[in-house]
Amino acid sequence: MGKKLLTGLLISATALLLLGLILLFSYPAIYDRETSLMRGSQVFKQWVEPDMPVYMKYHFFTYVNADRFLKGQDEKPEVKEVGVLSYREYQKKTDIKYQKRAQKVSYYNNKWYVFDAETSSMAETDTVVIPNILLFTILSSAPNSIERSILEKLINEWNTNATRRNGVSPFFEVGAADFLWGLKDNVLLSLLSPIIGGPTKFGIQTNNSNDGLYQVFTGKRHGNHNRGLVSAWNGERSLDYWSCDAANMLNGTDGSIFPVEMRRSPRLYVFNTQMCRSLFLEAQSGEEDVQGLSLTRYQTTPELFQVDFEDNMCFCEGGDVDRCLGDGLLDVSDCYEDRVSKVLDEDVQMSVIVSGPEFLYASNQTIESIVGFNPNPEIHNSFMNIHKPSGVLLSGAKRIQLNTRLTKFQLNSMSSVPDNWSYILPLFWAEEVLHVDEGVVQSIKSSEKFSLTMTVVSIVLTGLGFLLLLAAIFALIFTTSKYEVMPDYSLDVDQKLSSSFASVDS
């Protein structure tokens, strides 16, 4: 083989081998960088301001026998679901700061909602009759019995006025959107404001707000296997609402993004500020195919709020199961009291109880306490469909019901109620729904295809370079050995010719 050809073969083999190895080892690093929460990555923009179609839907009940129930004429309250107010949800993360050499990132997740008539089944002005949680919160928050007694007398006086009666009744008629967002002046607050000051509007939800300061892992230096996991919330690495450390732990992500290459673990944890705890969802058997992508489905199970389930005991007061409200109910009053008190800079006492919609997975006694409830896991369960290789949530629904406990106060409107009366009543149930987005599906497919192509190309280039390098080495060895071992026949020829001439002369 010619020297030039051999040199060219060696150079080509080395170049292909180096290129293949560079692609083989550098592309995973590039991929990790682009799928992390680092500023400028491909994932970063979508994480900061998602454009996936998310809707917040509020399912409203109206109490059809409120007066009869308070007068003791009906043993149980009866509700009817009258419709859904649907809002397009928008998010944007703000005040983004990196810590620990960019291994962690902190942010506020600001959310705002825009009414969507097309996906709603009722108008924002439609009215419902529901428990007056504000009335009971104000009475419960009175600093002492004397002030509470004064409030009760004022409310009884206002109750005699036809234009004021509705606003100071235990059940009141209110516009659905007004109850959510506090769009109009509240009658009770407007009456109290000249006396004790304070706002005149009240809404059970907030718009254009955030739920606290998060700190999560970016995935850097860990191959994104911890991407999105919550490290701290509001500057604390754990909660302080519950009776043991395990219940106060911040487990999982915030539910918007997950680690890549997720393991097939039986549980998926999500930290949920609305429920003041980390929740777990159970993996379902098999995989779901959505437009060619294999998804793992996680969903809530009866164990989530089962009071005698080992992981839930600390969510009971003092860790005592007998002091819990029962299966399917979680009392988060302390959590909400703490939040509202900090906002108002006043001590607030309120009753907030969360559950599954229509008391899903609660005891039969709890479900049957409300006429009109018929929980169905198919429409009331929470679930997530996740593409585990990319850690992307493609579809899901987070469903929760907000309830309150009413107790007896010295109000004329509650004169027929026994002194020890107490009742857990639903306000509404809501679902945050994410639908499959075609653009996200195609993006995942393109990313998978590109990653596979890069892997194949790097392996082919590495293999081809290695084979060519072997061929060049063998050719070099063969050529060298050929020149070194070849015998010198010239001496033998000269000797034979000399012998032949000598024989002729003789």
Side-chain angles (χ1 to χ4, degrees):
M1 180 180 290
K3 185 177 180 180
K4 290 184 178 181
L5 183 59
L6 183 59
T7 302
L9 184 61
L10 281 170
I11 293 174
S12 299
T14 303
L16 289 174
L17 184 60
L18 287 175
L19 181 59
L21 290 173
I22 290 172
L23 289 176
L24 189 63
F25 290 103
S26 66
Y27 179 71
I30 296 172
Y31 179 82
D32 288 345
R33 171 68 174 77
E34 292 302 315
T35 54
S36 72
L37 300 183
M38 296 294 295
R39 194 181 301 275
S41 70
Q42 290 185 0
V43 169
F44 179 80
K45 182 179 179 182
Q46 179 66 22
W47 173 71
V48 169
E49 197 166 1
D51 58 4
M52 299 172 72
V54 178
Y55 290 86
M56 180 62 81
K57 299 184 176 184
Y58 297 93
H59 297 248
F60 276 93
F61 309 112
T62 193
Y63 285 75
V64 299
N65 67 338
D67 289 339
R68 293 179 59 84
F69 173 62
L70 281 178
K71 292 176 181 177
Q73 297 171 345
D74 288 347
E75 181 183 356
K76 301 176 182 179
E78 181 178 353
V79 300
K80 177 183 178 182
E81 187 171 319
V82 293
V84 178
L85 286 184
S86 180
Y87 295 82
R88 178 72 160 86
E89 179 182 293
Y90 297 91
Q91 301 182 30
K92 185 175 182 179
K93 294 175 175 62
T94 60
D95 199 20
I96 298 172
K97 296 177 181 177
Y98 289 90
Q99 300 90 26
K100 300 292 183 181
R101 296 183 179 180
Q103 294 185 55
K104 296 181 180 181
V105 60
S106 61
Y107 60 90
Y108 292 96
N109 190 28
N110 197 53
K111 292 185 179 181
W112 65 98
Y113 305 93
V114 178
F115 180 66
D116 187 76
E118 186 175 340
T119 54
S120 298
S121 62
M122 61 188 296
E124 288 190 295
T125 53
D126 288 349
T127 61
V128 291
V129 176
I130 52 178
N132 195 342
I133 185 174
L134 177 62
L135 171 68
F136 289 88
T137 297
I138 290 173
L139 288 170
S140 299
S141 302
N144 52 62
S145 59
I146 296 176
E147 292 192 25
R148 182 177 294 114
S149 178
I150 294 173
L151 281 172
E152 289 170 335
K153 290 180 180 179
L154 285 172
I155 291 169
N156 286 331
E157 180 183 335
W158 293 331
N159 193 49
T160 61
N161 186 304
T163 60
R164 296 173 174 177
R165 182 178 302 123
N166 177 65
V168 297
S169 297
F171 290 85
F172 74 130
E173 184 176 7
V174 61
D178 186 25
F179 181 71
L180 283 179
W181 313 114
L183 303 178
K184 301 177 181 179
D185 285 335
N186 180 274
V187 172
L188 179 56
L189 289 180
S190 296
L191 291 169
L192 287 173
S193 183
I195 303 172
I196 60 176
T200 59
K201 290 183 169 60
F202 168 77
I204 203 74
Q205 299 284 275
T206 55
N207 202 346
N208 196 20
S209 62
N210 66 76
D211 59 347
L213 178 65
Y214 286 85
Q215 184 188 63
V216 304
F217 290 95
T218 63
K220 182 182 178 182
R221 295 188 179 179
H222 293 275
N224 291 313
H225 294 296
N226 65 348
R227 183 186 67 182
L229 297 179
V230 177
S231 172
W233 181 65
N234 283 336
E236 301 293 337
R237 300 198 180 281
S238 64
L239 304 173
D240 61 358
Y241 305 130
W242 311 110
S243 59
C244 70
D245 292 340
N248 284 313
M249 291 177 64
L250 303 176
N251 295 320
T253 74
D254 66 357
S256 64
I257 195 168
F258 297 89
V260 302
E261 302 295 341
M262 294 172 59
R263 297 177 180 177
R264 178 76 189 189
S265 57
R267 282 186 181 179
L268 176 70
Y269 283 90
V270 175
F271 174 57
N272 187 294
T273 58
Q274 292 174 311
M275 302 184 76
C276 308
R277 59 167 287 189
S278 293
L279 310 175
F280 60 85
L281 296 86
E282 301 282 351
Q284 304 304 295
S285 59
E287 302 285 330
E288 294 191 17
D289 184 272
V290 176
Q291 300 183 31
L293 293 179
S294 181
L295 307 181
T296 300
R297 185 181 181 90
Y298 292 87
Q299 66 182 38
T300 52
T301 60
E303 289 78 15
L304 181 61
F305 291 141
Q306 187 176 321
V307 295
D308 59 357
F309 187 61
E310 183 178 2
D311 292 0
N312 291 331
M313 292 182 180
C314 289
F315 294 110
C316 300
E317 187 178 350
D320 185 355
V321 174
D322 293 332
R323 301 174 74 176
C324 256
L325 298 176
D327 289 344
L329 302 172
L330 180 65
D331 191 341
V332 293
S333 299
D334 289 348
C335 171
Y336 278 80
E337 287 171 357
D338 179 63
R339 295 181 191 177
V340 176
S341 297
K342 287 179 179 177
V343 172
L344 298 178
D345 196 26
E346 290 186 15
D347 185 26
V348 174
Q349 301 293 317
M350 62 192 307
S351 171
V352 181
I353 298 165
V354 295
S355 68
E358 299 196 12
F359 292 145
L360 178 69
Y361 299 137
S363 65
N364 289 334
Q365 180 181 359
T366 300
I367 297 171
E368 293 168 2
S369 68
I370 305 293
V371 178
F373 270 7
N374 183 28
N376 182 353
E378 292 296 320
I379 59 177
H380 294 142
N381 223 350
S382 296
F383 71 92
M384 290 181 170
N385 288 326
I386 299 175
H387 183 249
K388 293 174 68 175
S390 64
V392 174
L393 173 66
L394 275 176
S395 63
K398 181 176 67 178
R399 295 165 174 147
I400 182 177
Q401 181 170 292
L402 199 63
N403 313 277
T404 189
R405 183 201 290 270
L406 299 193
T407 54
K408 173 69 178 287
F409 286 99
Q410 299 305 311
L411 301 178
N412 294 338
S413 54
M414 301 185 75
S415 58
S416 300
V417 173
D419 288 339
N420 61 349
W421 182 83
S422 174
Y423 220 99
I424 297 175
L425 298 169
L427 300 174
F428 59 82
W429 72 271
E431 57 179 340
E432 189 177 24
V433 182
L434 169 65
H435 299 289
V436 175
D437 182 73
E438 180 68 26
V440 175
V441 171
Q442 293 305 318
S443 177
I444 293 174
K445 286 183 176 180
S446 298
S447 178
E448 286 187 331
K449 185 177 180 180
F450 184 74
S451 295
L452 179 60
T453 300
M454 292 298 292
T455 301
V456 171
V457 168
S458 62
I459 292 174
V460 169
L461 289 176
T462 302
L464 184 58
F466 183 70
L467 290 175
L468 288 177
L469 185 60
L470 284 178
I473 291 172
F474 280 124
L476 181 62
I477 293 172
F478 176 77
T479 304
T480 303
S481 63
K482 179 179 178 182
Y483 283 103
E484 288 179 352
V485 178
M486 184 177 292
D488 188 359
Y489 295 104
S490 59
L491 182 58
D492 292 341
V493 172
D494 290 341
Q495 289 176 350
K496 290 179 180 180
L497 288 174
S498 299
S499 300
S500 298
F501 286 127
S503 298
V504 172
D505 292 338
S506 61

PDB file of all heavy atoms in Angstrom, residues 184-212:
ATOM      1  N   LYS A 184     -67.956  42.591  43.814  1.00  0.00           N
ATOM      2  CA  LYS A 184     -68.807  43.670  44.326  1.00  0.00           C
ATOM      3  C   LYS A 184     -68.590  43.837  45.831  1.00  0.00           C
ATOM      4  O   LYS A 184     -68.034  42.965  46.489  1.00  0.00           O
ATOM      5  CB  LYS A 184     -70.283  43.356  44.049  1.00  0.00           C
ATOM      6  CG  LYS A 184     -70.620  43.180  42.580  1.00  0.00           C
ATOM      7  CD  LYS A 184     -72.091  42.800  42.425  1.00  0.00           C
ATOM      8  CE  LYS A 184     -72.460  42.593  40.948  1.00  0.00           C
ATOM      9  NZ  LYS A 184     -73.886  42.191  40.800  1.00  0.00           N
ATOM     10  N   ASP A 185     -69.076  44.957  46.346  1.00  0.00           N
ATOM     11  CA  ASP A 185     -69.026  45.176  47.790  1.00  0.00           C
ATOM     12  C   ASP A 185     -69.876  44.127  48.494  1.00  0.00           C
ATOM     13  O   ASP A 185     -71.031  43.875  48.111  1.00  0.00           O
ATOM     14  CB  ASP A 185     -69.530  46.571  48.138  1.00  0.00           C
ATOM     15  CG  ASP A 185     -68.513  47.640  47.807  1.00  0.00           C
ATOM     16  OD1 ASP A 185     -67.319  47.326  47.760  1.00  0.00           O
ATOM     17  OD2 ASP A 185     -68.922  48.799  47.582  1.00  0.00           O
ATOM     18  N   ASN A 186     -69.294  43.510  49.512  1.00  0.00           N
ATOM     19  CA  ASN A 186     -70.017  42.524  50.303  1.00  0.00           C
ATOM     20  C   ASN A 186     -70.882  43.242  51.332  1.00  0.00           C
ATOM     21  O   ASN A 186     -70.429  44.182  51.996  1.00  0.00           O
ATOM     22  CB  ASN A 186     -69.006  41.604  50.999  1.00  0.00           C
ATOM     23  CG  ASN A 186     -69.662  40.557  51.849  1.00  0.00           C
ATOM     24  OD1 ASN A 186     -69.980  40.796  53.001  1.00  0.00           O
ATOM     25  ND2 ASN A 186     -69.868  39.386  51.274  1.00  0.00           N
ATOM     26  N   VAL A 187     -72.146  42.806  51.469  1.00  0.00           N
ATOM     27  CA  VAL A 187     -73.086  43.477  52.361  1.00  0.00           C
ATOM     28  C   VAL A 187     -72.577  43.491  53.795  1.00  0.00           C
ATOM     29  O   VAL A 187     -72.552  44.531  54.466  1.00  0.00           O
ATOM     30  CB  VAL A 187     -74.476  42.795  52.295  1.00  0.00           C
ATOM     31  CG1 VAL A 187     -75.395  43.371  53.379  1.00  0.00           C
ATOM     32  CG2 VAL A 187     -75.094  42.976  50.925  1.00  0.00           C
ATOM     33  N   LEU A 188     -72.135  42.339  54.296  1.00  0.00           N
ATOM     34  CA  LEU A 188     -71.684  42.240  55.678  1.00  0.00           C
ATOM     35  C   LEU A 188     -70.448  43.103  55.922  1.00  0.00           C
ATOM     36  O   LEU A 188     -70.367  43.833  56.927  1.00  0.00           O
ATOM     37  CB  LEU A 188     -71.397  40.782  56.030  1.00  0.00           C
ATOM     38  CG  LEU A 188     -70.888  40.505  57.442  1.00  0.00           C
ATOM     39  CD1 LEU A 188     -71.852  41.045  58.489  1.00  0.00           C
ATOM     40  CD2 LEU A 188     -70.653  39.009  57.637  1.00  0.00           C
ATOM     41  N   LEU A 189     -69.477  43.043  55.016  1.00  0.00           N
ATOM     42  CA  LEU A 189     -68.262  43.844  55.184  1.00  0.00           C
ATOM     43  C   LEU A 189     -68.565  45.335  55.065  1.00  0.00           C
ATOM     44  O   LEU A 189     -67.956  46.157  55.758  1.00  0.00           O
ATOM     45  CB  LEU A 189     -67.216  43.433  54.155  1.00  0.00           C
ATOM     46  CG  LEU A 189     -66.564  42.068  54.341  1.00  0.00           C
ATOM     47  CD1 LEU A 189     -65.551  41.797  53.236  1.00  0.00           C
ATOM     48  CD2 LEU A 189     -65.888  41.965  55.710  1.00  0.00           C
ATOM     49  N   SER A 190     -69.494  45.691  54.198  1.00  0.00           N
ATOM     50  CA  SER A 190     -69.864  47.111  54.044  1.00  0.00           C
ATOM     51  C   SER A 190     -70.518  47.647  55.317  1.00  0.00           C
ATOM     52  O   SER A 190     -70.353  48.826  55.667  1.00  0.00           O
ATOM     53  CB  SER A 190     -70.816  47.280  52.862  1.00  0.00           C
ATOM     54  OG  SER A 190     -70.171  46.921  51.652  1.00  0.00           O
ATOM     55  N   LEU A 191     -71.248  46.783  56.024  1.00  0.00           N
ATOM     56  CA  LEU A 191     -71.873  47.191  57.272  1.00  0.00           C
ATOM     57  C   LEU A 191     -70.853  47.292  58.408  1.00  0.00           C
ATOM     58  O   LEU A 191     -70.956  48.159  59.280  1.00  0.00           O
ATOM     59  CB  LEU A 191     -72.976  46.195  57.659  1.00  0.00           C
ATOM     60  CG  LEU A 191     -74.225  46.200  56.765  1.00  0.00           C
ATOM     61  CD1 LEU A 191     -75.105  44.995  57.083  1.00  0.00           C
ATOM     62  CD2 LEU A 191     -75.009  47.493  56.949  1.00  0.00           C
ATOM     63  N   LEU A 192     -69.876  46.405  58.391  1.00  0.00           N
ATOM     64  CA  LEU A 192     -68.877  46.380  59.460  1.00  0.00           C
ATOM     65  C   LEU A 192     -67.755  47.394  59.255  1.00  0.00           C
ATOM     66  O   LEU A 192     -67.131  47.844  60.220  1.00  0.00           O
ATOM     67  CB  LEU A 192     -68.261  44.975  59.568  1.00  0.00           C
ATOM     68  CG  LEU A 192     -69.145  43.892  60.160  1.00  0.00           C
ATOM     69  CD1 LEU A 192     -68.464  42.540  60.047  1.00  0.00           C
ATOM     70  CD2 LEU A 192     -69.477  44.203  61.631  1.00  0.00           C
ATOM     71  N   SER A 193     -67.478  47.736  57.999  1.00  0.00           N
ATOM     72  CA  SER A 193     -66.334  48.601  57.704  1.00  0.00           C
ATOM     73  C   SER A 193     -66.355  49.934  58.451  1.00  0.00           C
ATOM     74  O   SER A 193     -65.333  50.359  58.987  1.00  0.00           O
ATOM     75  CB  SER A 193     -66.248  48.845  56.192  1.00  0.00           C
ATOM     76  OG  SER A 193     -65.118  49.614  55.878  1.00  0.00           O
ATOM     77  N   PRO A 194     -67.501  50.640  58.548  1.00  0.00           N
ATOM     78  CA  PRO A 194     -67.505  51.906  59.301  1.00  0.00           C
ATOM     79  C   PRO A 194     -67.239  51.709  60.798  1.00  0.00           C
ATOM     80  O   PRO A 194     -66.825  52.651  61.483  1.00  0.00           O
ATOM     81  CB  PRO A 194     -68.923  52.445  59.070  1.00  0.00           C
ATOM     82  CG  PRO A 194     -69.409  51.756  57.834  1.00  0.00           C
ATOM     83  CD  PRO A 194     -68.791  50.393  57.878  1.00  0.00           C
ATOM     84  N   ILE A 195     -67.460  50.478  61.279  1.00  0.00           N
ATOM     85  CA  ILE A 195     -67.314  50.214  62.713  1.00  0.00           C
ATOM     86  C   ILE A 195     -65.902  49.750  63.050  1.00  0.00           C
ATOM     87  O   ILE A 195     -65.258  50.275  63.975  1.00  0.00           O
ATOM     88  CB  ILE A 195     -68.342  49.157  63.176  1.00  0.00           C
ATOM     89  CG1 ILE A 195     -69.753  49.628  62.851  1.00  0.00           C
ATOM     90  CG2 ILE A 195     -68.168  48.856  64.659  1.00  0.00           C
ATOM     91  CD1 ILE A 195     -70.817  48.578  63.093  1.00  0.00           C
ATOM     92  N   ILE A 196     -65.416  48.769  62.296  1.00  0.00           N
ATOM     93  CA  ILE A 196     -64.110  48.183  62.624  1.00  0.00           C
ATOM     94  C   ILE A 196     -63.076  48.382  61.514  1.00  0.00           C
ATOM     95  O   ILE A 196     -61.922  47.951  61.657  1.00  0.00           O
ATOM     96  CB  ILE A 196     -64.255  46.671  62.915  1.00  0.00           C
ATOM     97  CG1 ILE A 196     -64.816  45.933  61.686  1.00  0.00           C
ATOM     98  CG2 ILE A 196     -65.135  46.437  64.133  1.00  0.00           C
ATOM     99  CD1 ILE A 196     -64.891  44.427  61.860  1.00  0.00           C
ATOM    100  N   GLY A 197     -63.485  49.022  60.411  1.00  0.00           N
ATOM    101  CA  GLY A 197     -62.566  49.227  59.309  1.00  0.00           C
ATOM    102  C   GLY A 197     -62.400  47.960  58.484  1.00  0.00           C
ATOM    103  O   GLY A 197     -63.105  46.978  58.674  1.00  0.00           O
ATOM    104  N   GLY A 198     -61.463  47.999  57.569  1.00  0.00           N
ATOM    105  CA  GLY A 198     -61.195  46.823  56.754  1.00  0.00           C
ATOM    106  C   GLY A 198     -61.813  46.911  55.375  1.00  0.00           C
ATOM    107  O   GLY A 198     -62.511  47.884  55.039  1.00  0.00           O
ATOM    108  N   PRO A 199     -61.590  45.910  54.547  1.00  0.00           N
ATOM    109  CA  PRO A 199     -62.076  45.915  53.164  1.00  0.00           C
ATOM    110  C   PRO A 199     -63.580  45.719  53.098  1.00  0.00           C
ATOM    111  O   PRO A 199     -64.217  45.304  54.070  1.00  0.00           O
ATOM    112  CB  PRO A 199     -61.336  44.718  52.540  1.00  0.00           C
ATOM    113  CG  PRO A 199     -61.107  43.790  53.689  1.00  0.00           C
ATOM    114  CD  PRO A 199     -60.842  44.673  54.875  1.00  0.00           C
ATOM    115  N   THR A 200     -64.134  46.001  51.933  1.00  0.00           N
ATOM    116  CA  THR A 200     -65.570  45.797  51.718  1.00  0.00           C
ATOM    117  C   THR A 200     -65.849  44.725  50.675  1.00  0.00           C
ATOM    118  O   THR A 200     -67.010  44.443  50.378  1.00  0.00           O
ATOM    119  CB  THR A 200     -66.236  47.112  51.269  1.00  0.00           C
ATOM    120  OG1 THR A 200     -65.610  47.557  50.051  1.00  0.00           O
ATOM    121  CG2 THR A 200     -66.105  48.181  52.337  1.00  0.00           C
ATOM    122  N   LYS A 201     -64.811  44.146  50.127  1.00  0.00           N
ATOM    123  CA  LYS A 201     -64.970  43.079  49.141  1.00  0.00           C
ATOM    124  C   LYS A 201     -64.406  41.776  49.692  1.00  0.00           C
ATOM    125  O   LYS A 201     -63.437  41.771  50.459  1.00  0.00           O
ATOM    126  CB  LYS A 201     -64.274  43.434  47.827  1.00  0.00           C
ATOM    127  CG  LYS A 201     -64.950  44.552  47.028  1.00  0.00           C
ATOM    128  CD  LYS A 201     -64.219  44.792  45.703  1.00  0.00           C
ATOM    129  CE  LYS A 201     -65.016  45.702  44.772  1.00  0.00           C
ATOM    130  NZ  LYS A 201     -65.267  47.033  45.347  1.00  0.00           N
ATOM    131  N   PHE A 202     -65.017  40.672  49.297  1.00  0.00           N
ATOM    132  CA  PHE A 202     -64.564  39.369  49.756  1.00  0.00           C
ATOM    133  C   PHE A 202     -64.712  38.350  48.632  1.00  0.00           C
ATOM    134  O   PHE A 202     -65.786  38.214  48.025  1.00  0.00           O
ATOM    135  CB  PHE A 202     -65.366  38.895  50.969  1.00  0.00           C
ATOM    136  CG  PHE A 202     -65.138  37.442  51.311  1.00  0.00           C
ATOM    137  CD1 PHE A 202     -63.983  37.052  51.973  1.00  0.00           C
ATOM    138  CD2 PHE A 202     -66.063  36.475  50.944  1.00  0.00           C
ATOM    139  CE1 PHE A 202     -63.759  35.718  52.283  1.00  0.00           C
ATOM    140  CE2 PHE A 202     -65.854  35.139  51.256  1.00  0.00           C
ATOM    141  CZ  PHE A 202     -64.698  34.755  51.922  1.00  0.00           C
ATOM    142  N   GLY A 203     -63.625  37.621  48.341  1.00  0.00           N
ATOM    143  CA  GLY A 203     -63.662  36.527  47.379  1.00  0.00           C
ATOM    144  C   GLY A 203     -62.928  35.330  47.943  1.00  0.00           C
ATOM    145  O   GLY A 203     -61.914  35.481  48.643  1.00  0.00           O
ATOM    146  N   ILE A 204     -63.430  34.156  47.649  1.00  0.00           N
ATOM    147  CA  ILE A 204     -62.834  32.942  48.193  1.00  0.00           C
ATOM    148  C   ILE A 204     -61.557  32.561  47.451  1.00  0.00           C
ATOM    149  O   ILE A 204     -60.729  31.795  47.945  1.00  0.00           O
ATOM    150  CB  ILE A 204     -63.859  31.779  48.144  1.00  0.00           C
ATOM    151  CG1 ILE A 204     -63.517  30.692  49.161  1.00  0.00           C
ATOM    152  CG2 ILE A 204     -63.963  31.215  46.740  1.00  0.00           C
ATOM    153  CD1 ILE A 204     -63.822  31.068  50.575  1.00  0.00           C
ATOM    154  N   GLN A 205     -61.382  33.127  46.235  1.00  0.00           N
ATOM    155  CA  GLN A 205     -60.193  32.873  45.434  1.00  0.00           C
ATOM    156  C   GLN A 205     -59.488  34.191  45.132  1.00  0.00           C
ATOM    157  O   GLN A 205     -60.064  35.274  45.292  1.00  0.00           O
ATOM    158  CB  GLN A 205     -60.570  32.178  44.112  1.00  0.00           C
ATOM    159  CG  GLN A 205     -61.246  30.824  44.298  1.00  0.00           C
ATOM    160  CD  GLN A 205     -60.262  29.735  44.670  1.00  0.00           C
ATOM    161  OE1 GLN A 205     -59.629  29.123  43.822  1.00  0.00           O
ATOM    162  NE2 GLN A 205     -60.136  29.478  45.955  1.00  0.00           N
ATOM    163  N   THR A 206     -58.251  34.098  44.672  1.00  0.00           N
ATOM    164  CA  THR A 206     -57.509  35.295  44.274  1.00  0.00           C
ATOM    165  C   THR A 206     -57.088  35.166  42.816  1.00  0.00           C
ATOM    166  O   THR A 206     -56.768  34.070  42.339  1.00  0.00           O
ATOM    167  CB  THR A 206     -56.254  35.477  45.149  1.00  0.00           C
ATOM    168  OG1 THR A 206     -55.447  34.287  45.087  1.00  0.00           O
ATOM    169  CG2 THR A 206     -56.633  35.755  46.582  1.00  0.00           C
ATOM    170  N   ASN A 207     -57.106  36.287  42.124  1.00  0.00           N
ATOM    171  CA  ASN A 207     -56.697  36.331  40.720  1.00  0.00           C
ATOM    172  C   ASN A 207     -55.422  37.170  40.602  1.00  0.00           C
ATOM    173  O   ASN A 207     -55.202  38.096  41.378  1.00  0.00           O
ATOM    174  CB  ASN A 207     -57.805  36.930  39.867  1.00  0.00           C
ATOM    175  CG  ASN A 207     -57.694  36.519  38.408  1.00  0.00           C
ATOM    176  OD1 ASN A 207     -56.666  36.008  37.968  1.00  0.00           O
ATOM    177  ND2 ASN A 207     -58.766  36.741  37.651  1.00  0.00           N
ATOM    178  N   ASN A 208     -54.605  36.802  39.626  1.00  0.00           N
ATOM    179  CA  ASN A 208     -53.337  37.506  39.414  1.00  0.00           C
ATOM    180  C   ASN A 208     -52.508  37.519  40.696  1.00  0.00           C
ATOM    181  O   ASN A 208     -52.131  38.570  41.224  1.00  0.00           O
ATOM    182  CB  ASN A 208     -53.576  38.927  38.925  1.00  0.00           C
ATOM    183  CG  ASN A 208     -52.316  39.543  38.340  1.00  0.00           C
ATOM    184  OD1 ASN A 208     -51.382  38.835  37.961  1.00  0.00           O
ATOM    185  ND2 ASN A 208     -52.278  40.857  38.263  1.00  0.00           N
ATOM    186  N   SER A 209     -52.240  36.310  41.198  1.00  0.00           N
ATOM    187  CA  SER A 209     -51.512  36.174  42.458  1.00  0.00           C
ATOM    188  C   SER A 209     -50.622  34.937  42.402  1.00  0.00           C
ATOM    189  O   SER A 209     -50.643  34.173  41.441  1.00  0.00           O
ATOM    190  CB  SER A 209     -52.492  36.062  43.622  1.00  0.00           C
ATOM    191  OG  SER A 209     -53.289  34.904  43.483  1.00  0.00           O
ATOM    192  N   ASN A 210     -49.840  34.730  43.452  1.00  0.00           N
ATOM    193  CA  ASN A 210     -48.984  33.545  43.536  1.00  0.00           C
ATOM    194  C   ASN A 210     -49.236  32.844  44.860  1.00  0.00           C
ATOM    195  O   ASN A 210     -49.871  33.391  45.758  1.00  0.00           O
ATOM    196  CB  ASN A 210     -47.505  33.931  43.402  1.00  0.00           C
ATOM    197  CG  ASN A 210     -47.015  34.777  44.558  1.00  0.00           C
ATOM    198  OD1 ASN A 210     -46.764  34.290  45.652  1.00  0.00           O
ATOM    199  ND2 ASN A 210     -46.885  36.088  44.312  1.00  0.00           N
ATOM    200  N   ASP A 211     -48.737  31.616  44.974  1.00  0.00           N
ATOM    201  CA  ASP A 211     -48.964  30.835  46.192  1.00  0.00           C
ATOM    202  C   ASP A 211     -47.689  30.651  47.006  1.00  0.00           C
ATOM    203  O   ASP A 211     -47.553  29.684  47.754  1.00  0.00           O
ATOM    204  CB  ASP A 211     -49.570  29.465  45.854  1.00  0.00           C
ATOM    205  CG  ASP A 211     -48.688  28.641  44.935  1.00  0.00           C
ATOM    206  OD1 ASP A 211     -47.737  29.205  44.364  1.00  0.00           O
ATOM    207  OD2 ASP A 211     -48.936  27.428  44.794  1.00  0.00           O
ATOM    208  N   GLY A 212     -46.737  31.577  46.860  1.00  0.00           N
ATOM    209  CA  GLY A 212     -45.547  31.533  47.694  1.00  0.00           C
ATOM    210  C   GLY A 212     -44.262  31.389  46.906  1.00  0.00           C
ATOM    211  O   GLY A 212     -44.270  31.188  45.687  1.00  0.00           O
TER     212      GLY A 212
END
